[in-house]
Amino acid sequence: MTEEMVAVFAGSSIRLAAPLLLAASGELVSERAGVLNMSVEGMMLLGAFAGAAGAWATGSPLLGLAIGVLAVLPLAALQAYLSITLRANQIVTGIGLNILVLGATTLAYRLLFGGRSRVEIPGLGPWAPPGLAQLPLLGEQVFRQTWLLYLGLVLVGLIAWALRHTAWGLALHAAGTAPRAADQSGLPVRRLRYGAVMVTGVMSALAGCFLSIGDIHTFTEGMTKGVGYLAIAAVIFGNWKLGRTLAACLLFGAATALQFQLPALGVDVPSALLIMLPYLLAMLAVAGLAGRQRAPAALSVPYHR
């Protein structure tokens, strides 16, 4: 493998890991609060469609990004209402919302764009931190990415700081570990959980917009193709810690990048095997083969006062 191909592989891995990291960091907040948000896939898909449709209608990718985020907030609020207020099964409601969004976005896409197989969408432009794009070999391939990636890294850094160093982070941990004790100490457990699910909605919407208007500049039916489920698996793989979740997202991104890299190197590997590789790694993570896992004690358990 030449040095140039290594640079291309590294840049592709980071680009493919970016939507995973955005969605996984939001899901981590939700799970830390005790809510297993299985509707991340649907939130991403709705954000991707609304962002693409907004950018197409207004001609502005920035307005499309804002529309994509706003469109997901009602879905996140519905997920929170079902999971927290009605205390419905979090896995069933999440998967149900995913199916609902898949059908709704498919119908809306066909109504809006007709039978066109591909619609060009105004996309977010690339950007590189000053000086880094001029680095030899890696500079152009690794650091020249859509600026949404760098915004996402800033938001992930803020989430990491808030979870570790703020009273909100400690309260969130208490809500997901010992909600009854947290409630008796005066913490608003339900409000904390609602807020955590809304954070997941915003980060998942950004992840969906990254796919449609930040990366490929178009929308296709069901374009997330299980990325939301990979984000949930990354949280489990990361043992509910943000640093390890980041590493898991990079691993899944690299596994996806191999789909394009190995054929270019002339390595004869069945394409179906390459496509399934990220999901195989995710299955191994969920099965506990990535090490001992310690989930929040009250994860997916509805809280009764």
Side-chain angles (χ1 to χ4, degrees), residues 164 166 191 207 224:
R164 181 177 288 269
T166 67
R191 201 186 317 163
T224 49

Side-chain angles (χ1 to χ4, degrees), residues 60-133:
S60 169
L62 281 176
L63 287 177
L65 179 63
I67 291 170
V69 173
L70 291 174
V72 175
L73 294 181
L75 181 64
L78 176 59
Q79 174 68 77
Y81 178 73
L82 293 172
S83 300
I84 301 167
T85 301
L86 297 185
R87 299 191 292 273
N89 185 289
Q90 295 174 11
I91 296 176
V92 173
T93 55
I95 294 176
L97 290 177
N98 290 341
I99 296 172
L100 173 64
V101 171
L102 176 60
T105 54
T106 299
L107 175 62
Y109 175 81
R110 295 179 182 179
L111 291 175
L112 188 61
F113 299 113
R116 284 183 282 180
S117 59
R118 181 179 175 88
V119 179
E120 290 295 331
I121 303 296
L124 302 171
W127 181 78
L132 292 182

Side-chain angles (χ1 to χ4, degrees), residues 137-206:
L137 295 177
L138 294 179
E140 187 69 23
Q141 295 294 339
V142 173
F143 296 106
R144 187 166 295 280
Q145 307 275 359
T146 176
W147 58 262
L148 185 56
L149 184 150
Y150 294 102
L151 174 62
L153 290 177
V154 171
L155 293 176
V156 171
L158 288 175
I159 288 175
W161 173 79
L163 288 176
R164 181 177 288 269
H165 298 291
T166 67
W168 174 78
L170 293 174
L172 207 68
H173 176 73
T177 303
R180 185 165 301 280
D183 189 18
Q184 292 174 350
S185 67
L187 292 176
V189 172
R190 290 178 58 182
R191 201 186 317 163
L192 284 166
R193 290 187 168 184
Y194 260 91
V197 175
M198 298 306 290
V199 170
T200 307
V202 171
M203 298 302 290
S204 299
L206 291 175

Side-chain angles (χ1 to χ4, degrees), residues 278-294:
Y279 304 96
L280 177 61
L281 292 175
M283 184 181 69
L284 294 176
V286 173
L289 299 182
R292 185 179 179 183
Q293 298 163 342
R294 298 182 62 183

Side-chain angles (χ1 to χ4, degrees), residues 19 44 48 206-218 223-224 227:
M44 287 184 64
L206 291 175
C209 288
F210 184 96
L211 291 173
S212 59
I213 62 178
D215 189 9
I216 62 175
H217 301 174
T218 191
M223 69 180 300
T224 49
V227 175

